[in-house]
Amino acid sequence: METAAMLVAAGIECGFVTDPALVGSYGDVPAIVIAQKTRVIPASEAVSMTEKAARALLARDIRQIFFKYCATFDSTDQGNIGPVADLLMQLTGAEYTAFCPASPALRRTVYNGHLFLGTELISDSPKRHDPLTPMTDPDLVRVLQRQTRAKVGLLAHALVSAGAEAAGRAIAEAAARGIRYFITDAIYDRDLDTLAALTCDWKLMTGNATIVQHYPDIWRARGLIGATRRPPCLRAVGGGGVVLAGSCAERTLEQLAEFEKSHPVLRIDLLNAGDVAATVGDALDWARPRLHRGPVGFATSGAPEAVKMAQERYGREGAAQLAEAILGRLAVSLRSVGVRRFVVAGGETSGAIVEHLGIRRLRVGPYGGPGIGTAVTEDEDPVALCLKSGKLGPVDLFATTLDVMLDPGRAN
């Protein structure tokens, strides 16, 4: 959703679906985003889902497929970045592609193939405690090579700094030696300018959403898209408002604490939540008398110690699936009692809630800041969603965003 929001903010009409079958419902739009929950499912399932999405796009005779993943390259030795890239290389017929997770404005940078969060290697950062994809190796060439049989190399910063033409020559030479995947160094925004210019005609490109912002000016300069359109304002949505937090990132915990200063928050202890139906029922009973007074929050989030205890009881994937099942079914119950505004913290949580609510197509609003996407369903009885990365967003995001959903004009 963040990727689509960046394109919308750049004045580009962008379709957004969760079901590839709906790609054909759009007319002549410059871009379509298919959002799927594939980060931590078994690699074979991620490949199968991605194939359906890619074939739906290729049927439209598209110029390029862009495969988006997190700025922190969240993955395991089994995938799913490598296996999905392997599939997309095959389908598009690309000879090689690049991997650009960097987001310099957020201090997510890559140098000598090593991923940094600020001044720390990712392996020294809180990401080493991620409950599903702990990042303990900062060398992305090694990380990706463990996920694929394709040969992985590095496009070093000296070559990126030399410009798109020089970088292109270096890649062509390396490809002649059998290298198919290139981790790209990127420290500054100007590096992303270079990488966008280098890759704008490639059949396949991969990376974090940030580099997407650097394509529209190139497309316009080359006459591939029309004049800039003013980003549309999303429709106002009333009804109850809730926060659903599944992320255990430090920033989400800070945002919850800030929201709780003025709004009630129910913290759901996974160790005592084995009965999903009973837990959801209790949470709904707690919410009913409070919702008429304003937004409320629900969280399965916890500190690393609490997460470890839940994983010891249910297993790593089991704990995550339990949290997603609780928040997803709770979202459905809340919708049935009049909630129409949802702020969701965490990428996996966002995917689970969209799936539970049965949302297949959305109108996305313009970019609201790093890691944040907002959208409204196109139904007669609309639902407004803000889906945010667990690691990002201002500390007061929860209450502010729920207010903006009532009156989107105040965000301008």
Side-chain angles (χ1 to χ4, degrees), residues 118-380:
T119 59
E120 293 182 313
L121 287 166
I122 193 167
S123 53
D124 295 328
S125 78
K127 279 298 296 180
R128 70 186 187 277
H129 299 305
D130 188 288
L132 292 176
T133 51
M135 296 299 290
T136 57
D137 187 350
D139 186 335
L140 297 189
V141 174
R142 283 197 306 247
V143 170
L144 184 59
Q145 190 64 81
R146 290 194 291 266
Q147 300 179 29
T148 178
R149 293 181 180 178
K151 192 171 182 180
V152 182
L154 171 67
L155 184 65
H157 193 256
L159 288 168
V160 176
S161 297
E165 196 171 315
R169 288 195 297 269
I171 283 179
E173 292 170 2
R177 301 194 301 272
I179 296 177
R180 294 292 175 261
Y181 292 161
F182 295 85
I183 298 293
T184 60
D185 277 358
I187 303 173
Y188 311 108
D189 277 341
R190 63 175 178 267
D191 296 332
L192 299 186
D193 284 332
T194 298
L195 292 170
L198 169 68
T199 63
C200 68
D201 288 324
W202 289 11
K203 295 178 181 178
L204 173 66
M205 178 56 182
T206 88
N208 171 49
T210 303
I211 192 174
V212 172
Q213 293 178 298
H214 296 255
Y215 286 115
D217 285 346
I218 298 173
W219 295 339
R220 286 197 178 91
R222 297 178 57 177
L224 297 173
I225 58 174
T228 301
R229 294 162 49 96
R230 182 178 179 180
C233 187
L234 292 177
R235 64 192 293 190
V237 175
V242 299
V243 171
L244 299 170
S247 170
C248 298
E250 288 183 4
R251 175 43 50 130
T252 291
L253 299 180
E254 294 168 351
Q255 290 163 334
L256 275 170
E258 179 66 20
F259 183 75
E260 198 169 16
K261 291 178 181 178
S262 53
H263 299 84
V265 174
L266 178 64
R267 298 177 184 273
I268 299 171
D269 183 1
L270 293 181
L271 294 176
N272 298 311
D275 187 330
V276 174
T279 300
V280 170
D282 290 344
L284 189 62
D285 289 342
W286 175 88
R288 284 179 186 271
R290 294 171 172 84
L291 278 168
H292 75 275
R293 295 195 293 269
V296 302
F298 302 87
T300 58
S301 309
E305 299 78 17
V307 173
K308 182 179 179 180
M309 292 175 64
Q311 290 180 337
E312 287 174 349
R313 174 172 294 186
Y314 304 112
R316 176 178 290 177
E317 293 183 2
Q321 290 168 359
L322 176 60
E324 292 171 13
I326 290 169
L327 293 178
R329 290 174 63 172
L330 180 56
V332 175
S333 296
L334 289 165
R335 185 177 184 180
S336 72
V337 298
V339 172
R340 294 295 182 271
R341 293 173 291 138
F342 294 87
V343 173
V344 186
E348 294 302 309
T349 308
S350 294
I353 287 171
V354 168
E355 285 182 355
H356 275 84
L357 290 175
I359 294 171
R360 301 169 66 213
R361 174 170 164 158
L362 286 161
R363 181 175 296 278
V364 178
Y367 185 50
I372 304 165
T374 57
V376 175
T377 61
E378 298 177 328
D379 311 323
E380 291 184 7

